[in-house]
mmCIF file with all atom_site columns, all heavy atoms in Angstrom:
data_model
loop_
_atom_site.group_PDB
_atom_site.id
_atom_site.type_symbol
_atom_site.label_atom_id
_atom_site.label_alt_id
_atom_site.label_comp_id
_atom_site.label_asym_id
_atom_site.label_entity_id
_atom_site.label_seq_id
_atom_site.pdbx_PDB_ins_code
_atom_site.Cartn_x
_atom_site.Cartn_y
_atom_site.Cartn_z
_atom_site.occupancy
_atom_site.B_iso_or_equiv
_atom_site.pdbx_formal_charge
_atom_site.auth_seq_id
_atom_site.auth_comp_id
_atom_site.auth_asym_id
_atom_site.auth_atom_id
_atom_site.pdbx_PDB_model_num
ATOM 1  N N   . GLY A 1 81  ? -11.335 39.103 -40.183 1.00 0.00 ? 1097 GLY A N   1
ATOM 2  C CA  . GLY A 1 81  ? -12.296 40.033 -39.617 1.00 0.00 ? 1097 GLY A CA  1
ATOM 3  C C   . GLY A 1 81  ? -13.515 40.230 -40.496 1.00 0.00 ? 1097 GLY A C   1
ATOM 4  O O   . GLY A 1 81  ? -13.396 40.416 -41.709 1.00 0.00 ? 1097 GLY A O   1
ATOM 5  N N   . THR A 1 83  ? -17.829 41.767 -39.900 1.00 0.00 ? 1099 THR A N   1
ATOM 6  C CA  . THR A 1 83  ? -18.853 42.248 -38.977 1.00 0.00 ? 1099 THR A CA  1
ATOM 7  C C   . THR A 1 83  ? -20.218 42.169 -39.631 1.00 0.00 ? 1099 THR A C   1
ATOM 8  O O   . THR A 1 83  ? -20.388 42.571 -40.782 1.00 0.00 ? 1099 THR A O   1
ATOM 9  C CB  . THR A 1 83  ? -18.570 43.709 -38.565 1.00 0.00 ? 1099 THR A CB  1
ATOM 10 O OG1 . THR A 1 83  ? -17.298 43.778 -37.925 1.00 0.00 ? 1099 THR A OG1 1
ATOM 11 C CG2 . THR A 1 83  ? -19.639 44.220 -37.611 1.00 0.00 ? 1099 THR A CG2 1
ATOM 12 N N   . GLU A 1 94  ? -19.881 43.925 -43.170 1.00 0.00 ? 1110 GLU A N   1
ATOM 13 C CA  . GLU A 1 94  ? -18.693 44.744 -43.355 1.00 0.00 ? 1110 GLU A CA  1
ATOM 14 C C   . GLU A 1 94  ? -17.435 43.888 -43.253 1.00 0.00 ? 1110 GLU A C   1
ATOM 15 O O   . GLU A 1 94  ? -17.387 42.934 -42.486 1.00 0.00 ? 1110 GLU A O   1
ATOM 16 C CB  . GLU A 1 94  ? -18.629 45.844 -42.285 1.00 0.00 ? 1110 GLU A CB  1
ATOM 17 C CG  . GLU A 1 94  ? -19.791 46.806 -42.322 1.00 0.00 ? 1110 GLU A CG  1
ATOM 18 C CD  . GLU A 1 94  ? -19.763 47.797 -41.172 1.00 0.00 ? 1110 GLU A CD  1
ATOM 19 O OE1 . GLU A 1 94  ? -18.885 47.649 -40.287 1.00 0.00 ? 1110 GLU A OE1 1
ATOM 20 O OE2 . GLU A 1 94  ? -20.601 48.705 -41.142 1.00 0.00 ? 1110 GLU A OE2 1
ATOM 21 N N   . GLN A 1 95  ? -16.428 44.276 -44.029 1.00 0.00 ? 1111 GLN A N   1
ATOM 22 C CA  . GLN A 1 95  ? -15.124 43.610 -43.972 1.00 0.00 ? 1111 GLN A CA  1
ATOM 23 C C   . GLN A 1 95  ? -14.050 44.676 -44.135 1.00 0.00 ? 1111 GLN A C   1
ATOM 24 O O   . GLN A 1 95  ? -14.114 45.482 -45.072 1.00 0.00 ? 1111 GLN A O   1
ATOM 25 C CB  . GLN A 1 95  ? -15.014 42.549 -45.063 1.00 0.00 ? 1111 GLN A CB  1
ATOM 26 C CG  . GLN A 1 95  ? -13.884 41.582 -44.841 1.00 0.00 ? 1111 GLN A CG  1
ATOM 27 C CD  . GLN A 1 95  ? -14.052 40.323 -45.695 1.00 0.00 ? 1111 GLN A CD  1
ATOM 28 O OE1 . GLN A 1 95  ? -15.053 40.136 -46.380 1.00 0.00 ? 1111 GLN A OE1 1
ATOM 29 N NE2 . GLN A 1 95  ? -13.062 39.466 -45.635 1.00 0.00 ? 1111 GLN A NE2 1
ATOM 30 N N   . GLU A 1 96  ? -13.117 44.706 -43.184 1.00 0.00 ? 1112 GLU A N   1
ATOM 31 C CA  . GLU A 1 96  ? -12.040 45.699 -43.182 1.00 0.00 ? 1112 GLU A CA  1
ATOM 32 C C   . GLU A 1 96  ? -12.596 47.120 -43.286 1.00 0.00 ? 1112 GLU A C   1
ATOM 33 O O   . GLU A 1 96  ? -12.070 47.968 -44.015 1.00 0.00 ? 1112 GLU A O   1
ATOM 34 C CB  . GLU A 1 96  ? -11.054 45.412 -44.312 1.00 0.00 ? 1112 GLU A CB  1
ATOM 35 C CG  . GLU A 1 96  ? -10.348 44.075 -44.162 1.00 0.00 ? 1112 GLU A CG  1
ATOM 36 C CD  . GLU A 1 96  ? -9.347  43.814 -45.278 1.00 0.00 ? 1112 GLU A CD  1
ATOM 37 O OE1 . GLU A 1 96  ? -9.194  44.671 -46.178 1.00 0.00 ? 1112 GLU A OE1 1
ATOM 38 O OE2 . GLU A 1 96  ? -8.715  42.757 -45.239 1.00 0.00 ? 1112 GLU A OE2 1
ATOM 39 N N   . GLY A 1 97  ? -13.681 47.371 -42.561 1.00 0.00 ? 1113 GLY A N   1
ATOM 40 C CA  . GLY A 1 97  ? -14.263 48.715 -42.530 1.00 0.00 ? 1113 GLY A CA  1
ATOM 41 C C   . GLY A 1 97  ? -15.090 49.093 -43.732 1.00 0.00 ? 1113 GLY A C   1
ATOM 42 O O   . GLY A 1 97  ? -15.662 50.184 -43.787 1.00 0.00 ? 1113 GLY A O   1
ATOM 43 N N   . GLU A 1 98  ? -15.179 48.207 -44.718 1.00 0.00 ? 1114 GLU A N   1
ATOM 44 C CA  . GLU A 1 98  ? -15.944 48.485 -45.938 1.00 0.00 ? 1114 GLU A CA  1
ATOM 45 C C   . GLU A 1 98  ? -17.245 47.685 -45.942 1.00 0.00 ? 1114 GLU A C   1
ATOM 46 O O   . GLU A 1 98  ? -17.252 46.500 -45.614 1.00 0.00 ? 1114 GLU A O   1
ATOM 47 C CB  . GLU A 1 98  ? -15.124 48.117 -47.177 1.00 0.00 ? 1114 GLU A CB  1
ATOM 48 C CG  . GLU A 1 98  ? -13.828 48.889 -47.331 1.00 0.00 ? 1114 GLU A CG  1
ATOM 49 C CD  . GLU A 1 98  ? -14.058 50.334 -47.727 1.00 0.00 ? 1114 GLU A CD  1
ATOM 50 O OE1 . GLU A 1 98  ? -15.070 50.612 -48.409 1.00 0.00 ? 1114 GLU A OE1 1
ATOM 51 O OE2 . GLU A 1 98  ? -13.235 51.183 -47.346 1.00 0.00 ? 1114 GLU A OE2 1
ATOM 52 N N   . THR A 1 99  ? -18.341 48.330 -46.326 1.00 0.00 ? 1115 THR A N   1
ATOM 53 C CA  . THR A 1 99  ? -19.612 47.624 -46.451 1.00 0.00 ? 1115 THR A CA  1
ATOM 54 C C   . THR A 1 99  ? -19.578 46.758 -47.708 1.00 0.00 ? 1115 THR A C   1
ATOM 55 O O   . THR A 1 99  ? -19.342 47.256 -48.811 1.00 0.00 ? 1115 THR A O   1
ATOM 56 C CB  . THR A 1 99  ? -20.783 48.617 -46.539 1.00 0.00 ? 1115 THR A CB  1
ATOM 57 O OG1 . THR A 1 99  ? -20.826 49.378 -45.329 1.00 0.00 ? 1115 THR A OG1 1
ATOM 58 C CG2 . THR A 1 99  ? -22.103 47.895 -46.728 1.00 0.00 ? 1115 THR A CG2 1
ATOM 59 N N   . THR A 1 100 ? -19.780 45.456 -47.535 1.00 0.00 ? 1116 THR A N   1
ATOM 60 C CA  . THR A 1 100 ? -19.740 44.532 -48.668 1.00 0.00 ? 1116 THR A CA  1
ATOM 61 C C   . THR A 1 100 ? -21.131 44.061 -49.090 1.00 0.00 ? 1116 THR A C   1
ATOM 62 O O   . THR A 1 100 ? -21.301 43.557 -50.190 1.00 0.00 ? 1116 THR A O   1
ATOM 63 C CB  . THR A 1 100 ? -18.864 43.311 -48.335 1.00 0.00 ? 1116 THR A CB  1
ATOM 64 O OG1 . THR A 1 100 ? -19.371 42.672 -47.154 1.00 0.00 ? 1116 THR A OG1 1
ATOM 65 C CG2 . THR A 1 100 ? -17.417 43.727 -48.094 1.00 0.00 ? 1116 THR A CG2 1
#
Side-chain angles (χ1 to χ4, degrees):
T1099 300
E1110 299 175 354
Q1111 196 163 355
E1112 297 181 0
E1114 299 288 330
T1115 298
T1116 57

